[in-house]
Amino acid sequence: NTFLVKENVDYDFRFPIQDIYKIKKEKIVVGTVASGKINKGDSVKVAPLGIELRVKSIKVFGENRHTAEAKNSIGLAFNRLSKELRRGQVLYKGKTPKVTNEIQAKIFCLGPLEVEQELYISCATQRVKGKISRIKESIDTSTLEINKQTKSLETTDAAEVVITTETPLVIEKFKDLPELGRFILQIDSQVSGVGIII
């Protein structure tokens, strides 16, 4: 009961879009606030689109609220709704999150992985195609042997890698915001690795 979990209330507002619903002729963008606070009337931007929207209302179980913060599951209605909005995009205020096709990461393998092998990267509500383009070094966790010259990884290996994606990802370093700094790697719907962005 005395264990405290730090909430990311003081970090800039980040809101990965989970889905978009139409309720009583109004389109509502739903998801969970990853960090920061949002108030009715605030202006937010959409990454990676770069467009700006103003929050018309904040909804929780059909009720209107004036504010929401980290860990709150909410719906947002805007003064206008771009048809370009999609699951996986990130609403934000303050400092612009990094939008990139290349990730520097540390991973732990739950299955064999190879350089250039096609896979999917899931980060928050984003899911895109990509590949490990370079293995900087791998560690055999049973022997702690380090290998700096390899193009493949075995189950239970840990590694520092470079991942490239077909479409841009909205990310943060794990140490700054875990919700946008961790991911899973999947091959044929099987989880083959987990990782953090460094």
Side-chain angles (χ1 to χ4, degrees):
N1 289 335
T2 61
F3 185 75
L4 299 176
V5 178
K6 181 183 176 183
E7 305 290 1
N8 292 306
V9 175
D10 295 329
Y11 201 78
D12 288 337
F13 176 71
R14 300 287 187 262
F15 184 82
I17 297 176
Q18 180 178 331
D19 214 335
I20 301 171
Y21 298 132
K22 189 172 183 180
I23 302 172
K24 295 180 180 178
K25 298 183 179 180
E26 184 174 48
K27 287 188 176 179
I28 308 294
V29 175
V30 299
T32 300
V33 180
S35 63
K37 296 180 180 179
I38 188 70
N39 301 300
K40 180 179 177 180
D42 283 354
S43 291
V44 298
K45 290 187 176 179
V46 185
L49 296 180
I51 62 174
E52 188 169 320
L53 300 168
R54 184 174 55 80
V55 178
K56 184 174 73 173
S57 62
I58 301 170
K59 300 180 182 296
V60 179
F61 296 114
E63 298 179 2
N64 288 327
R65 290 177 55 174
H66 292 286
T67 188
E69 59 185 36
K71 305 302 180 187
N72 290 170
S73 295
I74 61 172
L76 296 173
F78 300 102
N79 59 321
R80 62 183 180 85
L81 189 62
S82 169
K83 292 180 179 180
E84 298 174 276
L85 288 181
R86 297 286 186 273
R87 172 183 167 85
Q89 294 166 348
V90 178
L91 306 178
Y92 70 94
K93 292 193 307 180
K95 182 182 176 182
T96 305
K98 187 173 184 180
V99 179
T100 183
N101 289 81
E102 184 175 279
I103 300 169
Q104 309 286 328
K106 291 183 178 180
I107 65 172
F108 182 79
C109 299
L110 301 175
L113 291 167
E114 295 182 2
V115 168
E116 301 297 325
Q117 183 178 16
E118 186 177 279
L119 43 72
Y120 281 93
I121 299 98
S122 295
C123 176
T125 57
Q126 305 168 90
R127 188 171 190 266
V128 301
K129 277 186 180 180
K131 63 185 179 183
I132 296 173
S133 53
R134 183 156 68 96
I135 300 171
K136 292 185 175 180
E137 68 173 31
S138 67
I139 302 172
D140 183 328
T141 56
S142 61
T143 65
L144 299 184
E145 179 183 354
I146 296 175
N147 187 347
K148 293 182 180 288
Q149 301 290 330
T150 184
K151 292 187 179 296
S152 63
L153 299 168
E154 300 299 328
T155 303
T156 74
D157 278 356
E160 185 171 333
V161 300
V162 178
I163 296 171
T164 55
T165 61
E166 288 188 4
T167 53
L169 275 175
V170 183
I171 62 169
E172 302 276 1
K173 290 182 179 179
F174 180 79
K175 67 180 180 66
D176 295 331
L177 184 62
E179 286 80 359
L180 285 173
R182 59 186 171 222
F183 59 87
I184 63 172
L185 302 175
Q186 291 178 288
I187 298 173
D188 297 328
S189 299
Q190 298 295 316
V191 176
S192 298
V194 294
I196 61 171
I197 296 165
I198 58 176

